[in-house]
Amino acid sequence: MPFAAPSWLTLDHVWLPYTQMAATTLPLPVVAAAGSCITLADGRTLIDGIASWWTACHGYNHPHIRAAVAAQLEQLPHVMFAGLAHEPGYELAARLARLLPGDLNHVFFSESGSVAVEVALKMAVQFWRRQGQDRHRFLAFRHGYHGDTLGAFSVTDPATGFHAALAAYRVPQHFADIPVTLAQRAEFERLLAAHGSEIAAVIIEPLVQGAGGMRFHCADTLAFIRAACDRHGLLLIADEIMTGFGRTGTLFASEQAAIVPDIICLSKALTGGTLPLAATVATEQVFTAFQSPSVDDAFMHGPTFMGNPLACAAANASLDLFESEPRLAQVAAMAAQLERELAPLQELPGVVDVRVMGGIGVVQLATGEASTLRGAFIERGVWLRPFGNIVYLAPPLNIEHADLAALTGAVVDVVSNASNTHD
Ligand SMILES: Cc1ncc(COP(=O)(O)O)c(C=O)c1O
């Protein structure tokens, strides 16, 4: 839909993410966001069905988070994390350790999901070095996505992970199917037996593979993977950057399989979607492996803005909201509404699957042209980013019933129209 672009909105200097700059149109100028709604410069509002890449778990501009960040801004916006300490960072680490399963007690902060994954990969390799073993490979899963930096995209499925142009730069890894069937489980065990001595860790997005196609697996499969890692003496890294903080119905997806990963990566909803922050959290076993009289055995990583106090204050406020507001009950209600309202799409010839887990609703189309539907959603007043053959919803966890109905209504309309056109 055409709009009058404000004078600052040109593509002369900004390089956009995942965008062919030769062919793109201007992005939509946003002036405000509150609750589940984004306000555009021309006054229109869009209901956000994807919570800004799954971050805004309490909706935008939540007063409790805003107040915490404002108070922190008055007192101490930033100070380096090496040699100096601040309460929001130390408090947040202790709270995460209390909330995470098992003895995931040792929190290393960074500022983005990809870096949290890099940190986890480095920790795993160095963990084995401390046992006198050089393990330089990882086992990752087809359709997995772990980020865009070198290590993170090397454990991302080369076929679905956006980085085909960089194939020559990728660090070679082992890839397996998520072991759902007996045959896949046997093949997974075979890979671990054959290559276990060079594999530092298995890395997985527990229960939901997000950017690789919003594919679900069940808790039993996740428990099988944990048990297989134990049988073969391998570390398990849970990348909960998307699934963490309620998205799958529990605070962390790993809880549903009652497993404790050796390392867990968190980001996205950690600050309620307000400020960049990530955490890589290790168990006692991983942490203590780094302890020795020599500084060479220390974990050598230290992002300049790690543990930024504003971001940590936002994260603490976000955790307050998980305690004080019925967020997980809201996710359960959202799941039921998504199931109900997306179900009719299952009947359409152009739809191959409709699935829901917690606060994620997925409509999988027969063809891979879902991104062409983006404009139609904007015309209906909703913000969605279909990709590949996937139209999905992952709105704020506390979205109002009527706003969610507007989102599912738009999905039903747009997908039905597209399905009719392709008949
Ligand atoms: C599971 C998972 N891991 C890692 C990342 C990378 O996070 P970031 O974009 O903050 O680097 C993402 C981002 O979508 C993700 O979904």
Side-chain angles (χ1 to χ4, degrees), residues 18 53-54 111-115 117 145-149 152 205 208 210-211 239-243 267-268:
Y18 307 119
W53 273 334
W54 331 318
E111 353 65 342
S112 79
S114 299
V115 176
V117 169
Y145 173 81
H146 298 286
D148 297 337
T149 52
E205 296 159 271
V208 184
D239 176 349
E240 292 231 22
I241 286 163
M242 179 201 184
T243 53
S267 188
K268 290 207 183 274

Short mmCIF file of all heavy atoms in Angstrom, two decimals, residues 18 53-54 111-115 117 145-149 152 205 208 210-211 239-243 267-268, ligand 1:
data_model
loop_
_atom_site.label_atom_id
_atom_site.label_comp_id
_atom_site.label_asym_id
_atom_site.label_seq_id
_atom_site.Cartn_x
_atom_site.Cartn_y
_atom_site.Cartn_z
N TYR A 18 18.77 -9.41 5.33
CA TYR A 18 18.17 -10.43 4.45
C TYR A 18 17.45 -9.79 3.26
O TYR A 18 16.34 -10.19 2.91
CB TYR A 18 17.15 -11.28 5.23
CG TYR A 18 17.67 -11.91 6.50
CD1 TYR A 18 17.10 -11.61 7.73
CD2 TYR A 18 18.73 -12.81 6.47
CE1 TYR A 18 17.58 -12.20 8.91
CE2 TYR A 18 19.21 -13.39 7.64
CZ TYR A 18 18.62 -13.08 8.84
OH TYR A 18 19.09 -13.66 9.99
N TRP A 53 10.21 -10.48 15.62
CA TRP A 53 11.09 -11.65 15.63
C TRP A 53 11.06 -12.33 17.00
O TRP A 53 12.10 -12.70 17.55
CB TRP A 53 12.52 -11.29 15.20
CG TRP A 53 12.72 -11.33 13.71
CD1 TRP A 53 12.03 -12.07 12.81
CD2 TRP A 53 13.71 -10.60 12.93
NE1 TRP A 53 12.51 -11.86 11.53
CE2 TRP A 53 13.53 -10.97 11.58
CE3 TRP A 53 14.72 -9.69 13.27
CZ2 TRP A 53 14.34 -10.45 10.56
CZ3 TRP A 53 15.51 -9.17 12.25
CH2 TRP A 53 15.31 -9.55 10.92
N TRP A 54 9.84 -12.47 17.57
CA TRP A 54 9.58 -13.31 18.76
C TRP A 54 10.21 -12.76 20.04
O TRP A 54 10.52 -13.50 20.97
CB TRP A 54 10.06 -14.77 18.52
CG TRP A 54 10.01 -15.17 17.08
CD1 TRP A 54 8.99 -14.88 16.21
CD2 TRP A 54 10.98 -15.88 16.31
NE1 TRP A 54 9.27 -15.38 14.96
CE2 TRP A 54 10.49 -16.00 14.99
CE3 TRP A 54 12.22 -16.44 16.62
CZ2 TRP A 54 11.20 -16.64 13.97
CZ3 TRP A 54 12.92 -17.08 15.59
CH2 TRP A 54 12.41 -17.18 14.30
N GLU A 111 25.43 -10.02 23.64
CA GLU A 111 24.39 -9.07 23.21
C GLU A 111 23.53 -9.56 22.06
O GLU A 111 22.66 -8.83 21.61
CB GLU A 111 24.96 -7.69 22.82
CG GLU A 111 26.39 -7.37 23.05
CD GLU A 111 27.41 -8.15 22.26
OE1 GLU A 111 27.08 -9.23 21.72
OE2 GLU A 111 28.56 -7.70 22.20
N SER A 112 23.76 -10.76 21.56
CA SER A 112 22.85 -11.25 20.51
C SER A 112 22.82 -12.77 20.55
O SER A 112 23.73 -13.41 21.10
CB SER A 112 23.29 -10.77 19.12
OG SER A 112 24.35 -11.57 18.65
N GLY A 113 21.77 -13.31 19.93
CA GLY A 113 21.62 -14.75 19.92
C GLY A 113 22.80 -15.44 19.24
O GLY A 113 23.32 -16.45 19.74
N SER A 114 23.22 -14.91 18.10
CA SER A 114 24.33 -15.55 17.38
C SER A 114 25.58 -15.60 18.25
O SER A 114 26.30 -16.61 18.26
CB SER A 114 24.65 -14.78 16.09
OG SER A 114 23.54 -14.78 15.23
N VAL A 115 25.84 -14.53 18.97
CA VAL A 115 27.03 -14.52 19.83
C VAL A 115 26.85 -15.51 20.99
O VAL A 115 27.80 -16.19 21.38
CB VAL A 115 27.37 -13.09 20.31
CG1 VAL A 115 28.54 -13.11 21.28
CG2 VAL A 115 27.69 -12.20 19.12
N VAL A 117 25.39 -18.27 20.79
CA VAL A 117 25.71 -19.58 20.21
C VAL A 117 27.22 -19.73 20.04
O VAL A 117 27.80 -20.77 20.37
CB VAL A 117 24.96 -19.78 18.88
CG1 VAL A 117 25.46 -21.01 18.12
CG2 VAL A 117 23.45 -19.89 19.14
N TYR A 145 18.46 -23.73 12.69
CA TYR A 145 18.99 -22.38 12.46
C TYR A 145 19.56 -21.88 13.78
O TYR A 145 18.87 -21.92 14.81
CB TYR A 145 17.89 -21.42 11.96
CG TYR A 145 18.39 -19.99 11.90
CD1 TYR A 145 19.15 -19.56 10.81
CD2 TYR A 145 18.15 -19.09 12.93
CE1 TYR A 145 19.66 -18.27 10.77
CE2 TYR A 145 18.65 -17.80 12.89
CZ TYR A 145 19.41 -17.40 11.81
OH TYR A 145 19.91 -16.13 11.77
N HIS A 146 20.79 -21.39 13.76
CA HIS A 146 21.41 -20.94 15.02
C HIS A 146 22.03 -19.56 14.93
O HIS A 146 22.70 -19.15 15.88
CB HIS A 146 22.45 -21.97 15.47
CG HIS A 146 21.86 -23.32 15.76
ND1 HIS A 146 21.10 -23.58 16.88
CD2 HIS A 146 21.85 -24.48 15.04
CE1 HIS A 146 20.68 -24.84 16.86
NE2 HIS A 146 21.11 -25.41 15.75
N GLY A 147 21.85 -18.85 13.80
CA GLY A 147 22.38 -17.50 13.74
C GLY A 147 23.24 -17.27 12.52
O GLY A 147 23.46 -18.18 11.71
N ASP A 148 23.77 -16.07 12.41
CA ASP A 148 24.41 -15.63 11.17
C ASP A 148 25.91 -15.40 11.28
O ASP A 148 26.54 -14.99 10.31
CB ASP A 148 23.74 -14.32 10.68
CG ASP A 148 22.27 -14.54 10.34
OD1 ASP A 148 21.90 -15.70 10.05
OD2 ASP A 148 21.51 -13.57 10.36
N THR A 149 26.51 -15.61 12.44
CA THR A 149 27.97 -15.48 12.55
C THR A 149 28.61 -16.82 12.17
O THR A 149 27.92 -17.83 12.05
CB THR A 149 28.36 -15.07 13.98
OG1 THR A 149 27.74 -15.98 14.88
CG2 THR A 149 27.92 -13.65 14.29
N ALA A 152 27.91 -19.96 14.25
CA ALA A 152 26.45 -20.18 14.31
C ALA A 152 25.91 -20.62 12.96
O ALA A 152 25.08 -21.53 12.87
CB ALA A 152 25.76 -18.91 14.80
N GLU A 205 17.65 -26.82 18.59
CA GLU A 205 16.58 -25.93 19.05
C GLU A 205 15.50 -26.85 19.64
O GLU A 205 14.82 -27.54 18.90
CB GLU A 205 15.99 -25.16 17.87
CG GLU A 205 16.93 -24.22 17.15
CD GLU A 205 16.42 -23.93 15.75
OE1 GLU A 205 16.77 -24.68 14.80
OE2 GLU A 205 15.65 -22.96 15.60
N VAL A 208 11.11 -26.80 18.78
CA VAL A 208 10.72 -26.04 17.59
C VAL A 208 11.96 -25.59 16.84
O VAL A 208 12.78 -24.85 17.39
CB VAL A 208 9.90 -24.77 17.94
CG1 VAL A 208 9.44 -24.07 16.67
CG2 VAL A 208 8.69 -25.12 18.80
N GLY A 210 12.91 -23.07 14.38
CA GLY A 210 12.21 -21.84 14.00
C GLY A 210 12.46 -21.41 12.57
O GLY A 210 11.69 -21.75 11.66
N ALA A 211 13.54 -20.66 12.35
CA ALA A 211 13.77 -20.06 11.05
C ALA A 211 13.95 -21.10 9.95
O ALA A 211 13.82 -20.79 8.76
CB ALA A 211 14.98 -19.13 11.11
N ASP A 239 19.70 -24.55 22.14
CA ASP A 239 19.54 -23.17 21.66
C ASP A 239 18.07 -22.80 21.89
O ASP A 239 17.21 -23.10 21.06
CB ASP A 239 19.93 -23.11 20.18
CG ASP A 239 19.71 -21.73 19.58
OD1 ASP A 239 19.07 -20.88 20.25
OD2 ASP A 239 20.16 -21.50 18.44
N GLU A 240 17.83 -22.16 23.02
CA GLU A 240 16.45 -21.74 23.37
C GLU A 240 16.26 -20.26 23.09
O GLU A 240 15.47 -19.57 23.75
CB GLU A 240 16.13 -22.09 24.83
CG GLU A 240 16.05 -23.58 25.10
CD GLU A 240 14.77 -24.00 25.83
OE1 GLU A 240 13.77 -23.27 25.77
OE2 GLU A 240 14.80 -25.08 26.46
N ILE A 241 16.99 -19.78 22.08
CA ILE A 241 16.91 -18.35 21.76
C ILE A 241 15.50 -17.99 21.29
O ILE A 241 14.96 -16.94 21.63
CB ILE A 241 18.01 -18.00 20.74
CG1 ILE A 241 19.35 -18.01 21.49
CG2 ILE A 241 17.76 -16.67 20.04
CD1 ILE A 241 20.56 -18.08 20.61
N MET A 242 14.88 -18.88 20.52
CA MET A 242 13.49 -18.65 20.14
C MET A 242 12.51 -19.21 21.17
O MET A 242 11.50 -18.59 21.49
CB MET A 242 13.19 -19.29 18.79
CG MET A 242 11.75 -19.08 18.41
SD MET A 242 11.17 -20.24 17.19
CE MET A 242 9.53 -19.61 16.93
N THR A 243 12.79 -20.41 21.68
CA THR A 243 11.79 -21.10 22.50
C THR A 243 11.76 -20.61 23.94
O THR A 243 10.75 -20.82 24.64
CB THR A 243 12.05 -22.62 22.50
OG1 THR A 243 13.42 -22.84 22.89
CG2 THR A 243 11.81 -23.23 21.14
N SER A 267 18.12 -15.51 24.44
CA SER A 267 18.20 -14.12 23.97
C SER A 267 16.77 -13.69 23.66
O SER A 267 15.87 -13.99 24.43
CB SER A 267 19.12 -14.00 22.76
OG SER A 267 19.34 -12.64 22.44
N LYS A 268 16.54 -13.01 22.56
CA LYS A 268 15.21 -12.63 22.08
C LYS A 268 14.29 -12.10 23.20
O LYS A 268 14.35 -10.93 23.52
CB LYS A 268 14.57 -13.78 21.31
CG LYS A 268 15.29 -14.03 19.96
CD LYS A 268 14.37 -14.65 18.96
CE LYS A 268 15.10 -14.95 17.66
NZ LYS A 268 15.14 -13.83 16.74
C1 LIG B 1 17.13 -20.50 17.48
C2 LIG B 1 17.92 -19.26 17.14
N1 LIG B 1 19.23 -19.21 17.43
C3 LIG B 1 19.97 -18.12 17.17
C4 LIG B 1 19.41 -17.01 16.57
C5 LIG B 1 20.26 -15.81 16.28
O1 LIG B 1 19.92 -14.75 17.11
P1 LIG B 1 20.33 -13.25 16.70
O2 LIG B 1 19.51 -12.91 15.50
O3 LIG B 1 19.98 -12.44 17.91
O4 LIG B 1 21.78 -13.25 16.42
C6 LIG B 1 18.05 -17.02 16.25
C7 LIG B 1 17.43 -15.87 15.58
O5 LIG B 1 16.40 -15.96 14.98
C8 LIG B 1 17.28 -18.18 16.54
O6 LIG B 1 15.98 -18.25 16.25
#
